Amino acid sequence: VRTGDQAVTVFNGRCMHLGCAYSWRTAGSQGEQFVCPCHDGVFALDGTVAGGPPPRPLDTLPVQVDDGTVVITYQDFHLGIPEKTPV
Amino acid sequence: MARLIDWLDERTGLRTLGRVLFLRKIPRGAGWLYTLGFATLFVFLVQVATGTVLALFYAPSPDHAYESVVFIQNTLPFGSVLRGLHHWGASVMIVLVGLHLATVFVLGAYKRPRELTWLAGVVLLLVVIGLGFTEYLLPWDEKAYWATTVGTNMAGTVPGIGATLLRIIRGGAEVGAVTLTRFYGLHILILPGLFALVVAVHFYLVVYLGVSVPPWLWQPRTEELPEDEAARYEGFKRQGRPFWPDLIVEDVIVSLVVFLVLVILAAVAGVPLEARADPAHTSYVPRPEWYFLSLFQLLKYFPGWLEWVGVIGIPLVLVAALFLLPFYDRRPQRRPERRPVALILGTLVILGMAGLTIAAAVTTPPSTAVERGIQLTAGQVVGRSLYLGNCVSCHGDTGQGTKDGPSLAQVGALRDPAFIHRYIEDAKALNAAAKMPEFIPPPGGRAQVLTHEQVEDITQYLLTFR
């Protein structure tokens, strides 16, 4: 998610609930939100929980923007719990 | 023949065994409701037979699992029927176990002296559910990967031991090669072995204690000595019919009907195989098998921090209630109409599970084997997976075409299969101006990109573009 001219926020692609892959909805009743198809978890653009069972906001990943190149340190965290602890 | 049997009898007691197993009397009143246990055992044997053959052709590694299942499905003679029988056998087994349990519950047959038979039966139910869960991952298709990811993550939410439990089940941080071999071992060795062992105990107890007299014939007496009750039971047995050659006929008829249903399901409904597992696929909608839908739906209702209540709390309470049933429900009364509390509670549990299952089913989008309203065959699903891997960058994700490749929107109506197949293999041979790379080299050419079977699967998929 682009947050500025040289700034992005990167979320881990797995739902915080039980690890399904969520996707961005462009239109419809759940438009402009990240929606998980499994147990109806919904996240806002900033990663906060907007509905459903997920126990915490989307995990952000360490990211660095270097002259137009985005460098992400990929990491997984324990799912299904309120705390963000690395696997 | 008679001499051979004499010889064996002298050394093994074969005749005594035969008498005990086959000539035993079944008490008066036992009817068709008493055939469900036999039918369940029969389907288990079908699962052992079909599963053994499948195991001979299956490769338990992420690199080859999917391809070996495609081989079983599309190339092996009778492979799709074999897989169909095993797939539907699992569902039929769950149904039969459920009906068997419900019958025993309603007839109060779990009561003294059959508490241990009931316990063994509940263990068998759990083993069958375990077999159903470990089966998922083996084909290594989309459903395999995603349903197992969710199913194992559920274990991770158990308070305290979740993270350790998850690591043990998966054999690592992610669902991967070790998870597959672990589930394979559970599915073909540990769980069937456990099932055979517990079924032997269950069956021994059925033969030793005899099946219960139907409650409408059996008068419960609170002040009766165990030996008097046993004598009364013997009376019903004397008036009953022998297992061989009378009751076994009913058992075999029910089992044959069940087998017929299985064959029809395998032949008509077939068995789904989705695209190869893709951990990066974000549009896949995972749904479990129908027998897990109630649990799946339940999880939607618990906010994150209470997740464990749905995952482990409620199921554990239900299993414990089922397991300990004969120990807290000890009244000798067995007639269903005189046990309103038990019957109402049992009905509520069934209705709750049915309601959750229906709620899950109506929110489930159509199967991924349906695209543009067309039901894809197993080969076409494989073809779509290959199309998305090899063709999509030039022809677009729905065949609409891009600046690098023409539209394929009408290709199924404009071209015949042989032309499409040849064109994929070597486009320049048919159209000198074609920019499309060849996907099968001439003999001695560069490394092979696609096999003939894979090109044919893509061809079959493209034929749906019309």
Side-chain angles (χ1 to χ4, degrees), chain B residues 339-358:
Chain B
R339 294 158 49 225
V341 178
L343 265 285
I344 287 169
L345 285 177
T347 311
L348 284 179
V349 170
I350 300 284
L351 284 180
M353 289 177 74
L356 286 169
T357 304
I358 292 166

Side-chain angles (χ1 to χ4, degrees), chain A residues 1-86:
Chain A
V1 178
R2 203 164 163 157
T3 52
D5 193 28
Q6 283 288 308
V8 289
T9 305
V10 177
F11 296 121
N12 187 308
R14 295 297 174 93
C15 175
M16 293 302 107
H17 181 223
L18 291 171
C20 292
Y22 59 84
S23 58
W24 179 251
R25 295 282 165 90
T26 48
S29 62
Q30 294 174 317
E32 306 281 299
Q33 283 171 320
F34 295 109
V35 177
C36 179
C38 286
H39 304 91
D40 306 337
V42 185
F43 303 92
L45 186 59
D46 63 358
T48 52
V49 180
R56 66 168 190 265
L58 291 174
D59 288 333
T60 49
L61 298 176
V63 62
Q64 221 178 342
V65 182
D66 218 4
D67 223 17
T69 310
V70 180
V71 182
I72 300 160
T73 313
Y74 187 81
Q75 202 175 4
D76 277 323
F77 300 89
H78 286 299
L79 299 172
I81 53 173
E83 306 82 31
K84 178 181 173 184
T85 49

